[in-house]
Amino acid sequence: MQTLREFTRKTKRGNILKIVREHYLRDDIGCGSDLCQYCFQNEVYQLTSSHEIKSSLFKFPHYIVLDTNVVLDQIDVLEEDVLHNVIVLNTVLNEVKHKSSSIYKRLNEIIHDRTRNFYVFVNEHHKDTYADREPDESANDRNDRAIRMATKWYDSHLQTSQDSKVFQRSGRTVTRVILLTDDAGNRAKAVSEGILVATATDYVKSLEDFPLLVDKLSHKTFQNEKQALPQYPPHLSMKEILDGLRHKKLLQGAFQASRENYLEGSVNVESYQKDILIQGRNSLNRAVDGDIVAVELLPESQWSAPSEIVLEEKNVYADDVPSEERVEDEKEMLQQLQAAPVAERTPTGRIVGIVRRKWRQYCGILQPSLIEDTTRHIFVPADRKIPRIRIETRQADKLLNQRIIVTIDSWPRNSRYPHGHFVRSLGPLGNMATENEVILLEHDVPHCKFSEEVLSFLPKMPWTITEEDYAKRVDLRDLYICSVDPPGCTDIDDALHCRELPNGNLEVGVHIADVSHFIRPGNALDKEAAARGTTVYLVGKRIDMVPELLSSNLCSLVGGVERFAFSVVWEVDHDANILSKRFHKSVIKSKRAMTYEEAQAIIDDVTQTGEIAKSLRYLNQLAKILKKRRMDNGALVLASPEIRFQVDSETHEPLEVEAKQMRDTNSMVEEFMLLANISVAQHIAAEFTECAVLRRHPKPPMTNFDPLIKAARYQGFEVVTDTGLELAHSLDRCVKADNPYFNTMIRILTTRCMMQAVYFISGSLQKEEFFHYGLAADIYTHFTSPIRRYSDIMVHRLLAASIGADSTYAQLLERKSNEEICNNLNYRHKMAQYAGRASVALNTHLFFRDKEEDEEGYVLFVRKNALQVLIPKYGLEGTLYLKSDKDGKDGLERAKSEIIFTFNEEDHTQRCGNVIFHSFDPLTVRLSLDSTNVQHEKLVFKLVKPYIKGFSVETTTEAVTSANAQPPAKKSKKDKKKK
């Protein structure tokens, strides 16, 4: 049966087009129920009588039809293995697909789980359930009518099947069909049409066997809340926002909350070089990190400067009354900022509306409530950029010492915090597996097991190299190739060789695992690798980009085993000048897989004269020449505090922590990887001018260097940042005889001035923009780590196509789709870095649990109320707060009047009496772990030296001296109470 669908569309020129489409209706689409005697079922019954849910609202067997809003708002309820025999209409599925791709994906996963009995009914093509759009009817009203129509048809269709005498004799209760919708208008119409209907909330509350499912309901509002007074300004409507953007009265951008100050954030607006600063609760106006917001720029006279105050929100409970202390903090911060020098002020604005929410699921803990037997609780997210969230739960006692996941549902004006609901528990607080899971979820790292579909594209074992493979590749098995990697590395991407040629020159080869041979374009394995983007390294744990069979076995260039490789081979003279180069796919057999330490020992041991020793020494000599040449061109040597852990193999807890050591062999491998990347970049950019995958590092804006220039100037050094070469020479000159760590700290500061390096497609930018600032390279890409980076797989495919080693394919040359992949890779790479740092922080906390250590350190930054301190021994960085505690914490009466630290804006120093703290000053601090906040355990830095009475930690000697100097002080009331 055929019908016509007619609709009109307005063109850009204002003309009206009438569009007519044929729409086919069928009478052979099955209802999917095992009760039906009439439909032809072309698959196994999805709706069965074996799953009956006890509901106090509907005390009879029933199937459920979902409205679109129920799926969008209550997906967390649907994911629980509670609701069965659910009919998902084609209308609803399409609406969900258009409104939220993430929820559509989650719904599809439920539908494909046969045990859940979710049946997709194609109501739009069934002759009895198709609803044509009526004149003057909105698309939304038409869809609501189609849902009601399908529900009514299902109910009468099944009742007809159950009218038979056989069914009546069985004594079974008739199964009905009910509609779940949260739309009041749709519900009223359903009632008038005789349809059984309920809201999602009422239905879930009626489930007798699942009382805790209520916790997972999405809450737009809480009871008795409408009476509360507004705490925030109203948001503009979408129409007002669009008008404001069109007339350039408003700006649009992504909101970024501050980790260090909960009353501050910024909005990145494309047309502005600097972010728009947002300060104060009313100006932040319910924006959550990541939201796309509309901002009103304040007059220049009201512009402010970024705060240097570290401000954390104090503990609050489910009541919304702001504490006096919190109000005081906000006032104090705003007063300080109003006095900021005009030169430091930056464009400042206030958020007036939300264009698009970017809410996600958040990990964290429940805050214990002061009120007994309450269901209202405050959830504290692990990410400090996210505000606390109000939720309702009946299982607070069980969840108090658990890491849980919560999602935000709404943020009304009259609530200090957003409203959300409980999703699931991750596990016990402090448990290593739980905390690693939190890190992965918070940094959006895909870490689920590889699906059966993905694994189906792996080579069948046992895998062997065939004669045909040997014929297609260059045989390099006889060469003395070796790999040099960190200890315990199993995903070995790269190997090297160097040998002397008969003409006296040297042949150098970089051999990279040929991952693209095993991962073919467009299959499920390729799509999964592209989505993951990179392997993520946590302490003692690795989340692979590709399945382990490839990462640690077939692709890994392990010693003594034949492997496929993609080789870059140069002929060079003894001054490291490249005379020729070639690229080819090869078969290699690594003679040895070594650690950096083992390779260094072979180079240093003069008694070693074998082929591998010769190869390593040649490589090391050439690497030093290459590095000097790069430095002379303006490449930067940057630094970051890095540490490594020795982890217990059973408990996975850290046993030892130490700063990472760099050897000549680290630099040797790095130089040849850089050379390979540059050589490949030059080749693919010449062959594919529009679609080569490259990597660039933009030059930072001059303002980024301000903190570095100021810090160096206070120490008597002038840092010139006009070009990379001048900056490199300036950094080399920053040396202090009395402080060997000074140069490293200057380089750490320089690293923080840099922009993020990013992947891009060659056709999207001018050639001048290809430049890699940090490496001083005109062109660069990533070729050398395809086991752990998808960008390298893309580059391998381009290189293979250019030399005829593999065929090209359409998507390889599609600029737009490759740009989208690059955007995802940039995001995944950034998140992987953050996840790695979070893992180091977690293990550092575990290491210092129940320990106290006095360590020498240096002041890295001086802030208005804190010193940022670096501990070279551990590569650790932390904050030494100078603001005295108001409550006499640790038994010390540190009243504000006794200890006064004065911050000098001019030279960025802190003074207390005769003691002055500058950047890079040495000091001794006591490290311990503060576990009072179970959510955010933190390393506490307490000053030991220089000694400031009443503020520094009292060591035994100082305590004795202090006791001899004066009589003991009288105990305060607070101290007596404590005892």
Side-chain angles (χ1 to χ4, degrees):
M1 181 180 167
Q2 180 185 336
T3 185
L4 297 176
R5 294 176 67 186
E6 295 183 5
F7 56 94
T8 56
R9 179 175 290 164
K10 193 175 184 180
T11 66
K12 286 182 179 179
R13 292 185 177 182
N15 299 326
I16 304 296
L17 286 180
K18 184 178 180 181
I19 296 169
V20 181
R21 284 187 183 158
E22 292 179 345
H23 188 80
Y24 291 91
L25 301 178
R26 297 168 57 172
D27 58 3
D28 61 345
I29 297 172
C31 66
S33 171
D34 64 353
L35 296 169
C36 182
Q37 299 174 12
Y38 303 106
C39 290
F40 168 72
Q41 310 289 358
N42 56 2
E43 57 179 308
V44 180
Y45 296 119
Q46 287 284 69
L47 305 169
T48 67
S49 310
S50 56
H51 293 286
E52 289 189 11
I53 300 176
K54 291 180 184 175
S55 164
S56 57
L57 274 179
F58 305 102
K59 298 184 176 181
F60 44 79
H62 53 269
Y63 296 160
I64 300 165
V65 175
L66 302 172
D67 194 359
T68 307
N69 52 33
V70 171
V71 176
L72 292 170
D73 293 339
Q74 310 295 354
I75 188 68
D76 292 318
V77 170
L78 300 179
E79 283 181 326
E80 285 297 300
D81 191 9
V82 172
L83 302 186
H84 292 262
N85 290 333
V86 176
I87 299 160
V88 181
L89 300 177
N90 181 225
T91 307
V92 172
L93 204 57
N94 287 336
E95 277 197 292
V96 171
K97 185 178 182 178
H98 288 123
K99 289 184 177 180
S100 173
S101 58
S102 61
I103 292 176
Y104 176 73
K105 187 180 176 186
R106 290 165 71 182
L107 178 61
N108 259 321
E109 284 174 6
I110 303 170
I111 291 166
H112 287 110
D113 181 355
R114 292 275 178 168
T115 63
R116 294 297 309 278
N117 308 97
F118 274 57
Y119 180 69
V120 177
F121 178 64
V122 190
N123 64 306
E124 294 290 358
H125 289 277
H126 193 288
K127 69 179 181 63
D128 296 327
T129 58
Y130 173 71
D132 212 351
R133 190 166 164 184
E134 294 175 352
D136 301 324
E137 186 179 37
S138 71
N140 188 54
D141 288 345
R142 180 261 162 205
N143 288 343
D144 285 347
R145 185 163 58 83
I147 292 166
R148 294 195 303 273
M149 200 168 161
T151 308
K152 194 166 185 178
W153 175 83
Y154 247 107
D155 196 37
S156 60
H157 176 73
L158 291 178
Q159 283 194 63
T160 307
S161 291
Q162 296 171 89
D163 277 345
S164 68
K165 290 181 180 177
V166 176
F167 183 85
Q168 288 170 358
R169 278 199 298 269
S170 71
R172 288 160 62 191
T173 312
V174 173
T175 298
R176 300 291 304 276
V177 178
I178 64 166
L179 171 64
L180 294 189
T181 175
D182 289 334
D183 182 327
N186 196 19
R187 209 160 51 246
K189 287 176 183 173
V191 170
S192 67
E193 292 170 17
I195 296 169
L196 296 171
V197 65
T199 66
T201 303
D202 289 344
Y203 182 76
V204 169
K205 285 180 177 176
S206 77
L207 300 180
E208 297 168 4
D209 296 334
F210 304 98
L212 296 181
L213 191 61
V214 176
D215 285 359
K216 301 205 169 192
L217 283 168
S218 170
H219 288 286
K220 299 293 180 189
T221 56
F222 286 155
Q223 289 178 339
N224 308 322
E225 194 170 64
K226 289 179 182 176
Q227 293 84 350
L229 293 171
Q231 298 202 25
Y232 295 94
H235 283 153
L236 297 181
S237 67
M238 190 51 72
K239 183 179 181 301
E240 290 170 315
I241 289 172
L242 292 173
D243 285 345
L245 292 170
R246 195 179 301 114
H247 296 109
K248 300 196 172 169
K249 290 179 181 175
L250 301 178
L251 302 167
Q252 178 180 315
F255 173 68
Q256 291 178 306
S258 167
R259 265 197 180 87
E260 297 179 328
N261 186 338
Y262 76 99
L263 293 172
E264 192 168 273
S266 61
V267 176
N268 181 269
V269 178
E270 276 188 19
S271 54
Y272 277 72
Q273 190 180 2
K274 278 191 171 184
D275 288 354
I276 308 296
L277 185 64
I278 312 290
Q279 289 176 325
R281 203 157 51 89
N282 282 352
S283 294
L284 292 169
N285 198 7
R286 295 172 284 156
V288 176
D289 187 65
D291 286 349
I292 306 300
V293 298
V295 177
E296 181 182 65
L297 198 63
L298 296 175
E300 204 165 330
S301 59
Q302 294 178 34
W303 286 7
S304 183
S307 157
E308 292 191 25
I309 296 171
V310 179
L311 195 59
E312 293 176 23
E313 190 164 17
K314 304 292 189 295
N315 278 354
V316 286
Y317 295 90
D319 60 287
D320 272 348
V321 183
S323 70
E324 289 175 17
E325 196 175 321
R326 206 161 52 219
V327 174
E328 210 177 288
D329 279 341
E330 187 165 357
K331 277 183 185 172
E332 188 182 331
M333 185 195 85
L334 294 173
Q335 279 167 6
Q336 284 190 31
L337 296 170
Q338 282 161 5
V342 177
E344 290 183 16
R345 294 186 184 183
T346 185
T348 307
R350 64 188 185 96
I351 292 168
V352 294
I354 307 294
V355 178
R356 188 167 69 252
R357 291 289 193 188
K358 282 287 188 77
W359 292 342
R360 57 180 174 85
Q361 293 185 339
Y362 303 102
C363 304
I365 58 167
L366 272 192
Q367 187 164 289
S369 178
L370 293 175
I371 306 161
E372 286 185 23
D373 301 325
T374 183
T375 56
R376 294 249 195 110
H377 294 273
I378 291 286
F379 166 82
V380 185
D383 186 349
R384 292 182 188 276
K385 292 163 110 182
I386 306 301
R388 291 155 197 235
I389 302 167
R390 296 174 63 193
I391 67 166
E392 279 193 5
T393 178
R394 287 140 195 81
Q395 44 187 326
D397 292 345
K398 179 183 160 191
L399 298 177
L400 270 181
N401 292 313
Q402 301 272 314
R403 287 278 190 186
I404 64 172
I405 293 179
V406 160
T407 191
I408 298 178
D409 301 322
S410 65
W411 196 343
R413 274 183 73 196
N414 52 4
S415 173
R416 178 175 182 83
Y417 299 117
H419 296 168
H421 65 270
F422 165 73
V423 177
R424 65 187 172 98
S425 170
L426 291 173
L429 198 63
N431 173 278
M432 181 59 86
T434 303
E435 298 303 332
N436 276 335
E437 178 80 357
V438 169
I439 288 170
L440 296 172
L441 287 168
E442 277 302 303
H443 295 94
D444 194 17
V445 174
H447 60 286
C448 55
K449 287 182 180 176
F450 290 101
S451 69
E452 289 300 320
E453 187 187 6
V454 168
L455 297 175
S456 70
F457 287 96
L458 291 173
K460 301 293 178 279
M461 297 301 284
W463 176 83
T464 53
I465 299 175
T466 63
E467 288 303 320
E468 190 184 346
D469 292 325
Y470 287 123
K472 288 179 181 175
R473 292 172 177 264
V474 178
D475 190 346
L476 303 179
R477 288 175 291 170
D478 293 337
L479 292 183
Y480 282 86
I481 295 170
C482 60
S483 62
V484 185
D485 290 282
C489 179
T490 58
D491 53 343
I492 302 171
D493 288 287
D494 53 85
L496 298 158
H497 90 270
C498 183
R499 63 174 177 170
E500 196 163 3
L501 296 172
N503 63 6
N505 291 328
L506 298 171
E507 180 187 84
V508 177
V510 166
H511 312 278
I512 306 300
D514 188 6
V515 182
S516 62
H517 171 83
F518 297 97
I519 301 179
R520 303 311 296 163
N523 67 23
L525 177 56
D526 181 49
K527 287 176 182 173
E528 182 68 21
R532 293 187 178 218
T534 180
T535 292
V536 179
Y537 294 91
L538 306 184
V539 175
K541 184 181 174 76
R542 189 180 79 205
I543 295 85
D544 285 323
M545 181 184 80
V546 297
E548 194 176 8
L549 178 65
L550 296 183
S551 66
S552 297
N553 187 348
L554 299 184
C555 292
S556 186
L557 306 181
V558 291
V561 183
E562 292 182 11
R563 288 287 178 254
F564 286 159
F566 210 146
S567 301
V568 183
V569 182
W570 303 270
E571 183 179 340
V572 299
D573 61 24
H574 286 264
D575 293 324
N577 296 308
I578 297 172
L579 306 174
S580 67
K581 63 184 173 190
R582 62 186 187 273
F583 309 98
H584 52 69
K585 292 212 170 188
S586 57
V587 180
I588 68 165
K589 185 175 182 179
S590 172
K591 296 296 181 280
R592 191 169 169 190
M594 292 173 281
T595 64
Y596 291 117
E597 197 173 352
E598 288 169 345
Q600 191 66 53
I602 291 172
I603 291 169
D604 296 341
D605 185 356
V606 290
T607 61
Q608 297 257 17
T609 54
E611 291 299 324
I612 287 179
K614 282 182 193 173
S615 177
L616 287 173
R617 288 191 189 111
Y618 275 137
L619 289 167
N620 199 33
Q621 287 162 17
L622 292 171
K624 286 177 179 176
I625 298 168
L626 290 169
K627 185 171 184 176
K628 185 180 183 306
R629 195 173 292 160
R630 279 197 311 110
M631 297 302 111
D632 292 344
N633 285 338
L636 299 173
V637 178
L638 301 176
S640 60
E642 286 189 272
I643 54 178
R644 61 187 295 263
F645 294 90
Q646 286 182 18
V647 179
D648 187 295
S649 57
E650 290 181 11
T651 64
H652 301 292
E653 293 199 351
L655 301 172
E656 290 292 333
V657 57
E658 59 187 18
K660 280 189 182 175
Q661 288 185 332
M662 296 298 285
R663 297 178 172 84
D664 279 354
T665 43
N666 292 75
S667 182
M668 176 188 81
V669 173
E670 183 187 5
E671 286 306 318
F672 286 106
M673 296 306 115
L674 293 175
L675 186 62
N677 287 335
I678 291 168
S679 297
V680 170
Q682 290 166 343
H683 182 84
I684 62 171
E687 293 286 329
F688 302 98
T689 53
E690 289 295 309
C691 57
V693 177
L694 302 173
R695 187 164 174 82
R696 70 191 185 100
H697 182 210
K699 182 183 177 181
M702 296 309 285
T703 51
N704 279 28
F705 290 112
D706 288 348
L708 171 68
I709 293 167
K710 282 180 184 176
R713 193 172 288 154
Y714 298 142
Q715 297 295 319
F717 295 97
E718 200 62 39
V719 174
V720 183
T721 59
D722 296 341
T723 66
L725 185 59
E726 286 174 309
L727 175 59
H729 290 332
S730 297
L731 295 178
D732 290 339
R733 287 193 293 269
C734 292
V735 177
K736 282 185 145 188
D738 60 338
N739 185 348
Y741 203 67
F742 175 71
N743 189 261
T744 304
M745 287 190 288
I746 281 285
R747 291 183 193 277
I748 289 170
L749 281 187
T750 309
T751 306
R752 291 174 192 189
C753 301
M754 293 295 130
M755 305 286 282
Q756 187 84 26
V758 289
Y759 297 108
F760 71 102
I761 300 300
S762 56
S764 62
L765 292 171
Q766 296 297 316
K767 279 194 176 177
E768 302 77 55
E769 297 175 277
F770 291 9
F771 190 68
H772 195 294
Y773 182 77
L775 298 173
D778 292 330
I779 194 166
Y780 191 68
T781 193
H782 273 162
F783 164 77
T784 55
S785 296
I787 293 177
R788 59 188 178 87
R789 289 190 305 235
Y790 188 77
S791 56
D792 303 50
I793 293 177
M794 295 172 77
V795 170
H796 276 227
R797 287 171 179 167
L798 288 164
L799 184 60
S802 74
I803 62 170
D806 205 343
S807 56
T808 185
Y809 57 98
Q811 196 183 346
L812 187 69
L813 308 176
E814 273 181 26
R815 199 172 95 184
K816 192 175 177 186
S817 64
N818 286 338
E819 278 178 354
E820 286 173 7
I821 294 172
C822 283
N823 290 336
N824 178 58
L825 295 181
N826 291 329
Y827 171 71
R828 292 292 178 206
H829 184 71
K830 184 172 69 174
M831 287 296 111
Q833 282 184 319
Y834 291 162
R837 288 174 199 165
S839 178
V840 167
L842 167 65
N843 281 270
T844 305
H845 291 169
L846 289 172
F847 177 75
F848 279 101
R849 189 167 283 166
D850 305 321
K851 286 182 190 172
E852 271 197 355
E853 288 190 18
D854 290 359
E855 294 295 342
E856 291 179 4
Y858 295 95
V859 177
L860 201 54
F861 301 108
V862 178
R863 295 191 165 163
K864 285 186 180 175
N865 66 340
L867 302 176
Q868 201 72 11
V869 177
L870 186 67
I871 311 295
K873 178 180 173 183
Y874 294 127
L876 285 177
E877 196 182 310
T879 309
L880 174 62
Y881 291 98
L882 302 179
K883 214 172 186 180
S884 43
D885 296 321
K886 296 176 184 177
D887 57 356
K889 202 172 179 181
D890 299 324
L892 296 172
E893 286 300 318
R894 298 178 184 169
K896 264 189 170 178
S897 55
E898 289 177 32
I899 310 297
I900 299 170
F901 282 92
T902 312
F903 178 69
N904 188 321
E905 292 270 2
E906 290 296 312
D907 58 2
H908 274 242
T909 60
Q910 286 278 3
R911 176 191 287 270
C912 181
N914 296 326
V915 179
I916 303 174
F917 292 103
H918 304 81
S919 290
F920 312 117
D921 280 356
L923 74 176
T924 304
V925 292
R926 179 164 296 172
L927 301 176
S928 60
L929 188 69
D930 178 8
S931 301
T932 50
N933 181 342
V934 289
Q935 165 82 326
H936 291 122
E937 286 189 329
K938 59 185 177 185
L939 271 180
V940 177
F941 286 60
K942 292 178 184 173
L943 187 64
V944 177
K945 290 175 186 175
Y947 180 70
I948 299 172
K949 188 166 178 287
F951 180 77
S952 295
V953 179
E954 298 280 356
T955 59
T956 317
T957 338
E958 282 147 2
V960 171
T961 314
S962 180
N964 292 339
Q966 60 183 60
K970 289 182 181 177
K971 287 186 173 66
S972 69
K973 287 181 182 176
K974 269 188 186 173
D975 282 336
K976 287 177 184 175
K977 278 182 187 175
K978 281 181 185 176
K979 289 196 174 182

Coordinates of all heavy atoms in Angstrom, one line a residue, residues 12 15 112 124 126 178 196 208 278 282 288 392 400 414 553 602 623 688 726 773 803 831 889 952 959 966:
K12 N 16.3 29.6 0.6 CA 17.0 30.8 1.1 C 16.5 32.1 0.5 O 16.6 33.1 1.1 CB 18.5 30.6 0.8 CG 19.2 29.6 1.8 CD 20.7 29.5 1.5 CE 21.4 28.5 2.4 NZ 22.8 28.4 2.1
N15 N 11.4 31.5 -1.5 CA 10.4 30.8 -2.3 C 9.9 29.6 -1.5 O 10.6 29.0 -0.7 CB 11.0 30.3 -3.6 CG 11.5 31.4 -4.5 OD1 10.9 32.5 -4.5 ND2 12.6 31.2 -5.2
H112 N 19.4 -4.2 21.6 CA 20.1 -5.4 21.1 C 20.4 -6.5 22.1 O 20.9 -7.5 21.8 CB 21.4 -4.9 20.4 CG 21.2 -4.2 19.1 ND1 21.4 -2.9 18.9 CD2 20.8 -4.7 17.9 CE1 21.1 -2.5 17.7 NE2 20.7 -3.6 17.1
E124 N 5.6 3.6 11.8 CA 5.5 4.5 10.6 C 5.2 3.9 9.3 O 4.8 4.5 8.3 CB 6.8 5.4 10.5 CG 7.0 6.3 11.7 CD 6.1 7.5 11.8 OE1 5.2 7.6 10.9 OE2 6.2 8.2 12.8
H126 N 3.3 0.7 9.2 CA 2.2 -0.2 9.4 C 0.9 0.5 9.0 O 0.7 1.6 9.4 CB 2.2 -0.6 10.9 CG 1.3 -1.8 11.2 ND1 -0.1 -1.8 11.1 CD2 1.6 -3.1 11.5 CE1 -0.6 -3.0 11.3 NE2 0.4 -3.8 11.6
I178 N 0.3 -0.3 28.2 CA 0.2 1.0 28.8 C 1.2 2.0 28.2 O 2.3 1.6 27.7 CB 0.4 1.0 30.4 CG1 1.8 0.5 30.7 CG2 -0.6 0.1 31.0 CD1 2.3 0.7 32.1
L196 N -4.5 3.4 28.6 CA -3.9 3.3 30.0 C -2.6 4.1 30.0 O -1.7 3.8 29.2 CB -3.7 1.8 30.3 CG -4.9 0.9 30.4 CD1 -4.5 -0.6 30.6 CD2 -5.8 1.3 31.6
E208 N 6.7 -2.7 43.1 CA 6.8 -3.2 44.4 C 8.1 -3.9 44.7 O 8.6 -3.8 45.8 CB 5.6 -4.2 44.7 CG 4.2 -3.4 44.6 CD 3.0 -4.4 44.5 OE1 3.3 -5.6 44.7 OE2 1.9 -4.0 44.4
I278 N 34.9 35.5 33.8 CA 33.6 35.5 34.5 C 33.9 35.4 36.0 O 34.6 34.4 36.4 CB 32.7 34.4 34.0 CG1 32.7 34.3 32.5 CG2 31.3 34.5 34.7 CD1 31.9 35.4 31.8
N282 N 26.7 35.3 40.7 CA 25.6 35.8 39.8 C 26.1 35.8 38.3 O 25.3 35.6 37.4 CB 25.2 37.2 40.2 CG 24.2 37.1 41.4 OD1 23.8 36.0 41.8 ND2 23.9 38.2 42.0
V288 N 27.8 25.3 33.8 CA 28.6 24.1 34.2 C 29.7 24.0 33.2 O 29.5 24.2 32.0 CB 27.8 22.9 34.3 CG1 28.6 21.6 34.7 CG2 26.7 23.0 35.4
E392 N 18.2 12.9 45.3 CA 17.4 12.2 46.3 C 17.8 10.7 46.2 O 17.8 10.1 45.2 CB 15.9 12.4 46.0 CG 15.3 13.7 46.4 CD 13.8 13.7 46.4 OE1 13.2 12.7 46.1 OE2 13.2 14.8 46.6
L400 N 27.5 5.9 51.4 CA 28.4 6.9 52.0 C 29.9 6.7 51.8 O 30.6 7.6 51.7 CB 28.1 7.0 53.5 CG 27.0 8.0 53.9 CD1 26.8 8.1 55.4 CD2 27.4 9.4 53.4
N414 N 16.0 28.9 41.7 CA 15.9 29.0 43.2 C 16.7 27.9 43.9 O 16.4 27.7 45.1 CB 14.4 28.9 43.6 CG 13.7 27.7 42.9 OD1 14.4 26.9 42.3 ND2 12.4 27.5 43.1
N553 N 51.6 -8.5 21.1 CA 52.0 -9.7 20.4 C 52.4 -9.5 19.0 O 53.5 -9.2 18.6 CB 50.9 -10.8 20.6 CG 51.3 -12.2 20.1 OD1 52.4 -12.3 19.4 ND2 50.5 -13.2 20.4
I602 N 75.7 -0.9 27.7 CA 76.5 -1.4 26.5 C 77.3 -0.3 25.9 O 78.5 -0.6 25.5 CB 75.5 -2.1 25.5 CG1 74.9 -3.3 26.1 CG2 76.2 -2.4 24.2 CD1 73.8 -3.9 25.2
A623 N 73.0 10.9 17.0 CA 72.0 11.6 17.8 C 72.4 12.9 18.4 O 71.7 13.9 18.4 CB 71.4 10.6 18.8
F688 N 50.4 14.3 -1.0 CA 49.0 14.6 -0.7 C 48.9 16.0 -0.2 O 48.8 16.2 1.1 CB 48.4 13.6 0.3 CG 48.5 12.1 -0.1 CD1 49.6 11.3 0.4 CD2 47.6 11.6 -1.0 CE1 49.7 10.0 0.0 CE2 47.8 10.2 -1.4 CZ 48.8 9.4 -0.9
E726 N 65.8 32.8 20.1 CA 66.2 33.7 21.2 C 65.7 33.2 22.5 O 66.4 33.3 23.5 CB 65.5 35.1 20.9 CG 66.2 35.9 19.8 CD 65.5 37.1 19.4 OE1 64.2 37.1 19.2 OE2 66.1 38.2 19.4
Y773 N 56.6 24.8 16.7 CA 57.4 25.8 17.5 C 58.4 25.1 18.4 O 59.6 25.5 18.4 CB 56.4 26.7 18.3 CG 57.1 27.8 19.1 CD1 57.6 28.9 18.4 CD2 57.2 27.7 20.4 CE1 58.2 29.9 19.2 CE2 57.8 28.6 21.2 CZ 58.3 29.8 20.6 OH 58.9 30.8 21.3
I803 N 53.9 5.1 -1.9 CA 55.0 4.3 -2.4 C 54.5 3.0 -3.1 O 55.3 2.1 -3.5 CB 56.0 3.9 -1.3 CG1 55.4 3.1 -0.2 CG2 56.6 5.2 -0.7 CD1 56.4 2.5 0.8
M831 N 42.9 14.4 26.9 CA 42.3 13.6 28.0 C 43.2 12.5 28.6 O 43.3 12.3 29.8 CB 41.0 13.0 27.6 CG 39.9 14.0 27.4 SD 39.4 14.9 29.0 CE 40.0 16.5 28.6
K889 N 43.5 24.8 63.6 CA 43.7 23.5 63.1 C 45.1 22.9 63.6 O 46.0 23.7 63.7 CB 43.6 23.5 61.6 CG 43.3 22.1 61.0 CD 43.1 22.4 59.5 CE 42.8 21.1 58.9 NZ 42.6 21.2 57.4
S952 N 55.5 28.0 61.1 CA 56.3 26.8 60.7 C 56.0 25.6 61.6 O 55.6 25.8 62.8 CB 57.8 27.1 60.7 OG 58.1 28.1 59.7
A959 N 61.4 23.5 69.2 CA 60.5 23.5 70.3 C 61.2 23.8 71.6 O 60.7 24.5 72.5 CB 59.7 22.2 70.4
Q966 N 60.7 31.5 76.5 CA 59.6 32.1 77.2 C 58.7 31.1 77.9 O 58.8 29.9 77.6 CB 58.7 32.8 76.1 CG 58.2 31.9 75.1 CD 57.4 32.6 74.0 OE1 57.9 33.5 73.4 NE2 56.2 32.3 73.8

